[in-house]
Amino acid sequence: MSRIAQTFTALREQGRKAVIPYIVAGDPLADITVDLMLSLVAAGADIIELGVPFSDPMSEGPVIQRGHERALEKGVRLRTVIETVAAFRKHNATTPVLLMGYANPVEHMGYEAFADRAHEAGVDALLTVDVPPEEVAGLNSALRRVGMDNIFLIAPTTPAARMDLIASEASGFIYYVSLKGVTGAGHLDQASVAEQVSEIRTHSDLPVCVGFGIKDGPSAAAVARVADGVVIGSALVQRLADVAQEGGDAMAIRDAAAALVGEIRQHVDGVTGSA
Amino acid sequence: MTSDSNPLRYANQPDAEGRFGPYGGRFVAETLMSALADLESMYRRLSQDADFQREFDEDLANYVGRPSPLYEARRWSDEIGGARIFLKREDLNHTGAHKVNNTVGQALLAKHMGKPRVIAETGAGQHGVATATIAARLGLECHVFMGADDVQRQSLNVYRMKLLGATVVPVTAGSATLKDAMNEAMRDWVTNVDDTFYIIGTVAGPHPYPMLVRDFQCVIGREARAQCLERNGRLPDALVACVGGGSNAIGLFHPFLNDESVAMYGVEAGGLGVETGQHAAPLSAGTPGVLHGNRTYLMQDEDGQIIHTHSVSAGLDYPGVGPEHSWLKDIGRVNYVAANDDEALEAFHTLTRVEGIMPALESAHALAYAQKLAATMSPEQHIVVNLSGRGDKDILTVAALEGIEV
């Protein structure tokens, strides 16, 4: 069983929901990422989503765009992100790590080479924002060969018929994008999220996690009532960038990350009454 | 090669998944996939609909001013002393370039799909102006995304768009040029997908855009082919067009693809020289990858990051190219070459002085290559060059490059 499947099985047995923080690798400091990941885990993260910086992050709002730009300026690339995960694995063998990014760096490395190198480093899954199921055949066969999961997005605009297609290619969990827009935009509509998550469950047995629009403990708790996990991205990336901007050192950045993820953990566990 | 002589080979591209060989496809976020499917099914229905075609043809005739003339550049041809050169005069279209053929078509699609708002990306501003123009005519709300650097460089076109009632949104992200404007237009579309139609300006982007933009631009080649047969009683020996995203080139080339005797040359922006790395010539010096919704040749580094481009012409300053061109390159049907900044500038001056026609800097790349090609050919041979736009918009750029204050 994959680390992601094990994680959701354990959470389900405990009656808990997954907390999934997103950070951009190499942001806000070039060499902070391994320590930051460890702080996130200590603060209650169940899965870590690590953004792979790209020159043209078309689905990101301004907050995460700037995170990508900062990381690229520091020389962070797909191959260095993979090395970062390998370094994290020396300290942590159990927390799943998901790489989130865009098709081209993976294409350029080559699907098979990426799968080999990422798997060897201890990467558990890949989410490529711009590779829908229609385009995923080659990539998925490489990922399956090494036992990595491919996480797919389902959007508010996804018709029911497409959900079956996505479910047939997805593994690990399904990532429901709670709003039409880029990362960090707008406010999520709780009623529509509940409706869509229950629709997705009629098409797939995979856990369903929700992201885009979760800003704090209360918005995470609202989503955790209906989903198997919550993703917190832009709010965290912004918080860390602010601390760095104000001159905060690595410890201050790690503390800020732990504080926000800790708050989310508490609210999410409050929903399920098991903390 | 038997498959090459199959007349359906080119007409049947792309396949049902939007692929031209290994290129093209739909590499976009899930939120847009159903919008692309809706657009494709609407387009497939309307492209077979006689009323829609009549409406499009009438707009091209009475609003754009088609057919555009095929003009023989006699003095210029005589000076070169080689092949006879004919110019397909897209510069005489309303708004001054070939771009309007496509915006007229896509705006009609928007109208049929009931979308009250259109968005567009623009580099030099020609596609933005063409979109703002057609939006004004149809009463559609219009937002144009433009790199902040280009907003500075092309202030005249920015003002034109504002006069036409469009909102121009400067994009400061990334390199603040055309590719970043396209990123931002995609972000807007993801957010406003219910009421917004994205009018992409070139034969790139996710399927069905490369197909439908090509189809709307093919009027160029259909007219040119008929004009050659009527005037000269035969087909030309060569076609030359500049290639940024590649919409004017595909529009000229496509109706000739099955004419095996017709050689084709797509001219990319060589910038300071392809060997310097300071250029915008992905077909000449790039490698395949995925950007802006399709797989195609790109300018990228060893980690798959998109790299900065350079061209004197803002309209060619783009790191990708339409996927059909990538396929035509690989199968060898079209030759892709490059013309440098200084060659394009020289051609800009030459045509202006010898023929009294001031070409856009984009089109001047095609002219620069055509001049070299013509010199290797005989006066019995004919070349058609797509004069894709007029040069009024570039006067300040040319003056600044030459240290002249206007």
Side-chain angles (χ1 to χ4, degrees), chain B residues 61-364:
Chain B
N62 302 319
Y63 191 67
V64 175
R66 303 202 71 92
S68 68
L70 185 71
Y71 166 78
E72 181 173 3
R74 286 211 177 87
R75 249 191 101 201
W76 190 42
S77 303
D78 288 347
E79 274 194 5
I80 298 166
R84 289 167 65 187
I85 300 175
F86 296 82
L87 305 177
K88 181 60 175 164
R89 297 290 308 274
E90 293 299 299
D91 59 314
L92 295 177
N93 292 340
H94 181 40
T95 72
H98 74 289
K99 291 290 186 189
V100 71
N101 302 326
N102 167 50
T103 53
V104 163
Q106 288 198 51
L108 283 179
L109 287 177
K111 196 177 89 173
H112 278 266
M113 293 178 82
K115 305 277 187 184
R117 179 175 180 269
V118 296
I119 57 172
E121 83 293 339
T122 198
Q126 290 305 102
H127 175 58
V129 166
T131 303
T133 297
I134 203 72
R137 176 169 173 249
L138 296 179
L140 302 170
E141 184 188 339
C142 177
H143 287 242
V144 178
F145 296 89
M146 189 167 184
D149 286 0
D150 291 334
V151 168
Q152 291 288 322
R153 288 190 291 201
Q154 305 286 338
S155 55
L156 202 61
N157 269 343
V158 172
Y159 186 53
R160 281 172 85 186
M161 288 184 265
K162 287 179 179 167
L163 287 173
L164 289 159
T167 302
V168 178
V169 184
V171 178
T172 53
S175 57
T177 58
L178 177 55
K179 81 173 173 72
D180 308 284
M182 196 153 183
N183 291 335
E184 207 57 33
M186 286 278 186
R187 292 180 187 122
D188 181 290
W189 197 29
V190 161
T191 307
N192 302 297
V193 61
D194 291 336
D195 73 346
T196 296
F197 190 105
Y198 181 13
I199 299 186
I200 292 184
T202 192
V203 284
H207 178 65
Y209 283 100
M211 171 179 76
L212 65 87
V213 176
R214 174 198 70 196
D215 292 353
F216 290 140
Q217 291 292 2
C218 273
V219 65
I220 302 171
R222 280 197 304 272
E223 284 177 7
R225 196 173 182 282
Q227 287 164 326
C228 286
L229 290 173
E230 190 190 335
R231 165 134 23 139
N232 303 324
R234 66 180 189 82
L235 293 172
D237 299 282
L239 307 175
V240 182
C242 65
V243 177
S247 68
N248 90 79
I250 213 80
L252 176 65
F253 295 167
H254 201 267
F256 290 91
L257 285 172
N258 287 316
D259 300 317
E260 287 178 32
S261 66
V262 181
M264 301 183 188
Y265 299 87
V267 187
E268 294 191 297
L272 303 179
V274 170
E275 70 289 351
T276 66
Q278 300 291 306
H279 58 82
L283 290 168
S284 304
T287 51
V290 172
L291 180 70
H292 291 152
N294 64 103
R295 183 180 283 121
T296 192
Y297 278 84
L298 297 175
M299 290 184 52
Q300 53 184 329
D301 68 14
E302 67 279 10
D303 290 299
Q305 303 290 340
I306 307 308
I307 57 179
H308 289 244
T309 52
H310 168 83
S311 171
V312 67
S313 136
L316 300 181
D317 208 351
Y318 179 68
V321 64
E324 192 163 11
H325 286 292
S326 293
W327 178 67
L328 291 169
K329 169 191 162 74
D330 281 6
I331 64 170
R333 179 65 186 92
V334 178
N335 305 291
Y336 292 92
V337 296
N340 297 349
D341 285 354
D342 53 359
E343 295 171 317
L345 277 166
E346 192 188 324
F348 171 91
H349 285 298
T350 303
L351 198 75
T352 302
R353 295 218 178 125
V354 176
E355 296 287 351
I357 298 172
M358 190 178 294
L361 283 177
E362 289 80 10
S363 322

